[in-house]
Amino acid sequence: MTTKIDKVGPVDSPPPAPENLKAIPVRHYGRWVSAVIAIALLVTLVLAFARGDVDWNAIPEYFFDSEVLRGVRNTVWITILSMALGVALGIILAVMRLSKNPVTSSIAWGYIWFFRGTPVYVQLLVWFNLGLVFNYINLGPIYKDEWSDFMTPFLAALLGLGLNEAAYMAEICRAGLQAVDEGQTEASHALGMSHAKTLRRVVLPQAMRVIVPPTGNEFINMLKTTSLVIAVQYWDLLQATTNVGQSTGATAEMLFLAAAWYLILTSVLSVGQYYLERYYARGSSRSLPMTPLQKIRVNLLSGSNRQGGASA
Amino acid sequence: MTPMVKAEGVHKSFGAVQVLKGIDLEVAPREVFCLIGPSGSGKSTFLRCINHLEKINSGRLSVDGELVGYRQKGDKLYELRDREVAEKRRDIGMVFQRFNLFPHMTALENVIEAPVQVKKETKAVARERALKLLDRVGLADKAGNYPSQLSGGQQQRVAIARALAMEPKLMLFDEPTSALDPELVGDVLDVMRGLAEDGMTMIVVTHEMGFAREVGDSVVFMDDGVVVESGNPRDVLTNPQHERTKSFLSKVL
């Protein structure tokens, strides 16, 4: 910046940049109109709720109520366990479906056909009411009990949600495995790696890039679907808030409260999904995009440097 | 001396399409053996049969005196288990037209993967040799780069290093320079030339006639699933006897 410019004559000086065009921009009146209408509608909606007979104070009052918190914990817990069951079984089903063995692939196909083809609500009820057809559970020497003691609300919820999820996860995993280029398998085999090792070290890590985003969606969906376990009398978030609502008379308020909790939980999951996707994207693009945190840090740094004139 | 590769009447068909119609050839140890011919002539398929990526339909194919993919007991052939096939492939390196590097691993991780996973070498030992190999192919400074951060020529050289890391006795090259920009071909051919000078047995499917002439010990011209002409590259490439060879060479030279 301090170099002296002592060039004489126009020989090496760059040609002057052409002057910018001066033109009257097009006015988008339609955009203004639609923005005003949208805001007006939004205000009407907010006013309607504000004027409604809603006891807004009830929401913060019961937000951290012990019953509600127990519901939150149970919802998170059943979500995680059902997803774990769904992912584990889903991977097995996907590998079964892709196997050359016609028996295992047909069984996997049949499983997916059945569990995707019936509503999860019905499946939950079926698990809960299997006691009507089985009086006892008898696993030989391992376990023996009356069915009603065995099939608790928790187990019914877990099986209902997890086994249903497995069918969807199986299709997601299959798509991911099939998306990996065949050349990868060949290269791995040519190096002397076994089928299992090729799957674990080469194919799965690459399939994860395709598998993770829809799995994140499934996770968020699962969190919301757990509200159905009210059908099997599992004490989840919705059950808890409904209960509080009935005993206090603030039914609608408690539903708003439940919605707020669901929103908080799904938001947390979305952030987790972002970082997981980033991890599996390594190697797929030349450089990873910055995380929001990194962006903030860089912006802060460059902001403090700007005084020194080091804006690059 | 047992030939490194011996093929007798090798046939291969995909469904109704006969791709190899009786291939007979022998590759001696330390030989650089070039396969040339028009696309669809079966060169790549034959190469893939050698490490059992494709199963042959009839004939006999052996590497270093042992049948590929089968075991003979008396006059019966037994198919080898996947594990046994994998074991034999350790000694045969392969380089692909499309590189097929593992994109989720760095160059170094690509090279140490098989020694660590298959040969159960410690990471330190594998790493040391990998760095030497990367240095040999001129990419010592790219060890930490992912394949997507490398040019095609660099990727192919990493792929060669990856195959060499298993210390194979035979290297198969499947059109290693066909997917490269013309100015990147030279680097890869230089690496292969170096390998040939060190006495590696190499079977190279290629369209690089210059490489075949300078480096090759013998050349085979294949067309339509059969060997049309074979011999010393200087003879075959400059003075072809067969009409089909002549017309092919007139198009590519």
Side-chain angles (χ1 to χ4, degrees):
Chain A
M1 270 175 199
T2 52
T3 34
K4 264 204 323 198
I5 301 168
D6 48 2
K7 290 252 170 71
V8 191
V11 191
D12 274 325
S13 62
E19 218 172 303
N20 279 350
L21 275 180
K22 280 194 188 105
I24 316 253
V26 177
R27 308 277 178 213
H28 296 280
Y29 298 109
R31 291 183 193 168
W32 287 97
V33 174
S34 53
V36 167
I37 294 175
I39 289 175
L41 286 175
L42 202 61
V43 168
T44 322
L45 193 69
V46 170
L47 281 181
F49 270 90
R51 282 182 194 153
D53 185 15
V54 180
D55 178 12
W56 293 106
N57 290 328
I59 296 178
E61 192 182 333
Y62 286 100
F63 207 79
F64 297 108
D65 181 82
S66 65
E67 289 295 279
V68 172
L69 283 185
R70 186 156 77 94
V72 170
R73 266 199 308 276
N74 280 350
T75 288
V76 170
W77 191 225
I78 197 74
T79 304
I80 293 174
L81 288 180
S82 312
M83 265 324 272
L85 178 64
V87 169
L89 196 56
I91 291 175
I92 295 172
L93 284 166
V95 173
M96 278 172 74
R97 256 209 92 174
L98 291 173
S99 85
K100 286 177 193 148
N101 185 333
V103 176
T104 54
S105 76
S106 315
I107 290 175
W109 182 90
Y111 181 99
I112 293 164
W113 170 76
F114 181 82
F115 281 92
R116 271 205 324 186
T118 52
V120 65
Y121 191 66
V122 174
Q123 288 173 30
L124 279 165
L125 290 173
V126 165
W127 282 112
F128 196 55
N129 292 306
L130 271 186
L132 300 177
V133 281
F134 299 112
N135 291 322
Y136 295 98
I137 176 163
N138 189 347
L139 299 176
I142 312 164
Y143 186 83
K144 200 184 281 189
D145 204 346
E146 282 193 32
W147 187 269
S148 52
D149 289 337
F150 164 72
M151 190 55 74
T152 57
F154 168 76
L155 193 62
L158 177 64
L159 288 177
L161 296 175
L163 296 189
N164 179 265
E165 185 57 34
Y168 289 92
M169 283 310 301
E171 290 296 270
I172 290 172
C173 293
R174 185 173 64 98
L177 292 174
Q178 284 179 329
V180 179
D181 181 30
E182 220 177 314
Q184 293 290 312
T185 314
E186 282 184 0
S188 173
H189 282 167
L191 285 165
M193 290 168 77
S194 65
H195 283 305
K197 218 148 231 172
T198 300
L199 186 66
R200 198 160 51 80
R201 298 284 310 172
V202 176
V203 178
L204 257 187
Q206 296 182 57
M208 288 306 274
R209 256 187 61 226
V210 183
I211 293 174
V212 165
T215 304
N217 285 340
E218 288 295 308
F219 217 110
I220 288 167
N221 255 331
M222 174 62 88
L223 187 89
K224 295 181 294 177
T225 310
T226 53
S227 61
L228 293 178
V229 299
I230 206 165
V232 296
Q233 293 166 19
Y234 184 68
W235 189 270
D236 76 323
L237 174 56
L238 184 61
Q239 175 87 284
T241 50
T242 309
N243 227 36
V244 174
Q246 275 162 2
S247 58
T248 60
T251 314
E253 289 82 353
M254 289 305 111
L255 288 176
F256 295 159
L257 191 158
W261 263 114
Y262 280 118
L263 264 179
I264 291 172
L265 295 175
T266 50
S267 305
V268 170
L269 286 181
S270 309
V271 173
Q273 182 183 5
Y274 174 83
Y275 281 94
L276 201 60
E277 279 180 29
R278 220 178 110 79
Y279 173 77
Y280 281 110
R282 74 195 193 287
S284 67
S285 56
R286 282 165 204 223
S287 61
L288 285 175
M290 282 190 286
T291 65
L293 272 180
Q294 285 171 331
K295 273 186 208 155
I296 291 170
R297 204 172 302 143
V298 166
N299 282 338
L300 284 177
L301 280 179
S302 69
S304 61
N305 281 347
R306 203 156 288 156
Q307 284 169 317
S311 59
Chain B
M1 195 162 53
T2 28
M4 184 57 83
V5 175
K6 186 171 182 181
E8 298 163 278
V10 169
H11 281 76
K12 168 74 192 173
S13 36
F14 293 108
V17 187
Q18 273 220 335
V19 184
L20 300 178
K21 303 171 180 169
I23 302 287
D24 298 281
L25 53 80
E26 261 184 43
V27 180
R30 305 174 70 84
E31 189 175 12
V32 176
F33 192 95
C34 294
L35 281 170
I36 61 170
S39 48
S41 58
K43 317 174 294 274
S44 290
T45 305
F46 177 69
L47 200 70
R48 292 159 58 82
C49 289
I50 295 175
N51 67 355
H52 209 49
L53 285 178
E54 306 287 355
K55 277 185 191 172
I56 63 174
N57 296 113
S58 69
R60 294 171 71 84
L61 182 58
S62 57
V63 172
D64 208 10
E66 291 181 45
L67 282 183
V68 174
Y70 301 93
R71 186 189 309 112
Q72 187 157 27
K73 258 191 194 164
D75 54 354
K76 271 191 188 151
L77 279 184
Y78 295 88
E79 223 174 308
L80 291 185
R81 296 178 172 282
D82 288 339
R83 191 172 42 77
E84 296 167 303
V85 172
E87 216 161 275
K88 294 206 168 172
R89 283 187 183 133
R90 293 179 191 185
D91 297 331
I92 306 174
M94 184 155 188
V95 175
F96 299 86
Q97 182 177 355
R98 311 255 0 137
F99 330 133
N100 294 350
L101 286 180
F102 304 135
H104 56 302
M105 302 180 189
T106 62
L108 182 68
E109 287 167 347
N110 263 282
V111 180
I112 66 172
E113 178 68 10
V116 170
Q117 293 296 326
V118 179
K119 279 191 172 172
K120 306 290 174 205
E121 282 180 13
T122 63
K123 273 208 173 140
V125 172
R127 204 184 129 86
E128 199 178 325
R129 193 172 56 244
L131 287 173
K132 270 186 207 150
L133 285 169
L134 285 174
D135 187 42
R136 177 175 177 177
V137 299
L139 293 171
D141 55 329
K142 301 286 185 192
N145 288 44
Y146 285 100
S148 59
Q149 297 164 325
L150 301 174
S151 74
Q154 291 170 333
Q155 288 189 50
Q156 192 61 297
R157 284 183 279 152
V158 173
I160 294 174
R162 177 175 70 174
L164 290 176
M166 290 297 281
E167 301 180 314
K169 55 189 178 192
L170 167 67
M171 285 283 285
L172 308 175
F173 291 86
D174 188 4
E175 303 197 24
T177 58
S178 297
L180 297 179
D181 290 339
E183 78 266 26
L184 302 175
V185 168
D187 292 338
V188 172
L189 291 183
D190 284 343
V191 169
M192 292 169 61
R193 195 170 287 131
L195 267 180
E197 280 161 12
D198 289 354
M200 174 65 76
T201 314
M202 295 160 64
I203 304 181
V204 186
V205 172
T206 188
H207 291 294
E208 296 290 329
M209 296 306 149
F211 177 83
R213 191 184 305 127
E214 287 164 38
V215 185
D217 296 310
S218 42
V219 67
V220 158
F221 173 71
M222 277 177 71
D223 192 13
D224 202 21
V226 293
V227 171
V228 176
E229 192 166 348
S230 63
N232 186 301
R234 275 154 293 269
D235 300 337
V236 175
L237 295 178
T238 47
N239 188 19
Q241 300 300 311
H242 208 284
E243 266 321 304
R244 279 198 282 182
T245 321
K246 279 179 196 164
S247 86
F248 173 73
L249 287 176
S250 71
K251 281 178 210 149
V252 297
L253 282 179

